[in-house]
Amino acid sequence: QVQLVESGGGLVQAGGSLRLSCTASGRTFSGYAMGWFRQAPGKEREFVAVIHWGGSPSYADSVKGRFTISRDNAKNTLYLQMNSLKPEDTAVYYCAAGLVYGQMIRHYDYWGQGTQVTVSS
């Protein structure tokens, strides 16, 4: 079983940047696809980005050109660099791991506790 812990959330002004981190416990981290999802109050959890164990990334249209997903397998850590943040990016951000490279919640077996990102206007 993989344990995931997110960090790096906080309050930032519109146009600013944050970098989220997700640290995994297992030695098999490199064998998983890793994704970021987010959930705003009253909204469904939505896909943000995913990175294959081989390193190929994919992004939601809403964050393309602004967010970058990356991973450091040696450190068992996933990152989400968020630039040019907008108020609509405000949400709880969740790290997830699964054996399937995909954009659906059902593709992921392990989830972190979430970290709050708030973007002020």
Side-chain angles (χ1 to χ4, degrees):
Q1 183 173 314
V2 176
Q3 302 292 324
L4 304 173
V5 179
E6 302 98 333
S7 63
L11 175 64
V12 64
Q13 292 182 330
S17 298
L18 283 174
R19 189 177 78 159
L20 305 183
S21 298
C22 171
T23 300
S25 63
R27 62 178 291 274
T28 61
F29 175 83
S30 63
Y32 288 86
M34 300 291 296
W36 289 99
F37 290 76
R38 66 187 183 186
Q39 188 167 21
K43 303 295 183 181
E44 297 294 320
R45 190 170 299 185
E46 66 176 358
F47 168 77
V48 175
V50 62
I51 187 166
H52 190 266
W53 63 265
S56 299
S58 183
Y59 300 93
D61 289 341
S62 60
V63 306
K64 284 181 179 177
R66 300 188 298 121
F67 292 10
T68 302
I69 188 171
S70 62
R71 65 194 297 168
D72 186 337
N73 290 338
K75 296 181 178 179
N76 283 349
T77 302
L78 176 74
Y79 303 98
L80 185 68
Q81 178 66 48
M82 304 185 293
N83 298 326
S84 301
L85 283 162
K86 305 174 181 180
E88 52 262 45
D89 294 318
T90 295
V92 176
Y93 283 70
Y94 296 91
C95 169
L99 295 176
V100 177
Y101 181 66
Q103 301 180 2
M104 307 293 289
I105 291 174
R106 62 180 176 85
H107 292 150
Y108 297 88
D109 302 304
Y110 306 103
W111 295 83
Q113 82 289 346
T115 186
Q116 177 71 47
V117 172
T118 302
V119 184
S120 62
S121 60

